[in-house]
Amino acid sequence: MFDYLRDPQEIYAKSFATIEAEADLARFSKDERPVAIRIIHACGMVEMADHIAFGGDVIAAATTAFQAGKPILCDAEMVRHGIISRLLPASNPVLCTLNDGNTHSLATALETTRSAAAIEGWRDHIEGAIIAIGNAPTALFHLLEAINEGRMAKPAVIIGMPVGFVGALESKEALITHANGIPFVTLRGRFGGSAVTAATVNALARMARGDDATPDGTRDRKKGGLA
């Protein structure tokens, strides 16, 4: 009934070729480029290249953390479920404390959101971890406050991509300004969300495994299919 492309490998390769042709990738380093491409791919918007901001050596820090088996701490279940476990080089645990038993009462006591209160559940896991915040600006603000006030240890990397109209832009600018030496990647403005955050984790995990040197997916196909 419809004339459309059906071959998954061709779709994949054509998608990345379109990004390479249409997105302005010149400002990204060789290591940042594959991550930026996958962020753009997850959004379906080549203009998203202008909003991507890296701080510090994100790829090196994430690779070290992944290979050491450090956990990935997520602000939302949708982020957690979007992370592809088979890509994790050391079977890294993926944790989300949003639905822990005391989170609701803690949020009431702290007079904040449940997402922000859930960050308190990261204390025993955060040192050297990979942070993935894709939903709640309050979670990113709370995390930065806890780290900068010395109440919480430093993670290896912060992927900070909360989405929305209230606090999203501001929380990401706070990350850029107050990362306290922690490598980060973010999307300036209102853009973000669980899908693009999980895609960023997956991109960094691929690089930690050495599977993503070619963004067209060549190495992934050799290992048995596209992801």
Side-chain angles (χ1 to χ4, degrees):
M1 183 175 176
F2 300 106
D3 181 18
Y4 60 96
L5 197 58
R6 294 171 172 81
D7 183 332
Q9 293 187 359
E10 191 175 351
I11 292 168
Y12 195 82
K14 201 165 186 176
S15 294
F16 282 106
T18 300
I19 293 168
E20 292 275 6
E22 297 183 11
D24 182 4
L25 304 171
R27 66 185 178 86
F28 301 113
S29 71
K30 181 181 177 181
D31 287 338
E32 292 169 350
R33 188 182 177 102
V35 179
I37 288 172
R38 289 193 180 272
I39 290 171
I40 295 164
H41 183 251
C43 296
M45 300 169 64
V46 294
E47 57 269 32
M48 199 56 64
D50 297 334
H51 298 272
I52 300 169
F54 288 93
D57 196 341
V58 175
I59 287 76
T63 295
T64 298
F66 274 118
Q67 293 178 349
K70 294 295 184 177
I72 303 152
L73 307 179
C74 309
D75 72 320
E77 290 290 344
M78 285 183 69
V79 176
R80 183 173 73 85
H81 286 291
I83 294 169
I84 302 171
S85 59
R86 65 179 171 79
L87 295 179
L88 303 178
S91 299
N92 307 69
V94 184
L95 308 175
C96 177
T97 55
L98 184 64
N99 295 313
D100 284 6
N102 67 335
T103 302
H104 189 275
S105 58
L106 183 58
T108 301
L110 295 174
E111 299 181 331
T112 189
T113 66
R114 198 158 53 96
S115 297
I119 303 302
E120 294 296 319
W122 294 0
R123 289 184 181 276
D124 294 337
H125 312 283
I126 193 169
E127 189 168 4
I130 299 115
I131 305 299
I133 296 178
N135 184 19
T138 54
L140 184 53
F141 275 127
H142 190 92
L143 174 70
L144 293 172
E145 288 171 342
I147 292 170
N148 280 280
E149 292 169 5
R151 295 186 285 107
M152 201 168 282
K154 287 186 178 183
V157 171
I158 299 174
I159 302 166
M161 299 181 175
V163 63
F165 301 99
V166 179
L169 181 155
E170 293 83 358
S171 68
K172 288 178 282 189
E173 291 302 318
L175 172 60
I176 292 168
T177 306
H178 300 287
N180 203 356
I182 302 165
F184 66 84
V185 56
T186 189
L187 281 175
R188 289 182 183 268
R190 296 170 171 176
F191 308 102
S194 298
V196 69
T197 303
T200 306
V201 175
N202 293 335
L204 290 168
R206 285 184 174 97
M207 296 190 76
R209 294 195 321 168
D211 289 348
D212 203 24
T214 50
D216 63 0
T218 301
R219 291 193 182 182
D220 286 331
R221 285 199 291 272
K222 287 179 180 177
K223 287 183 174 285
L226 299 174

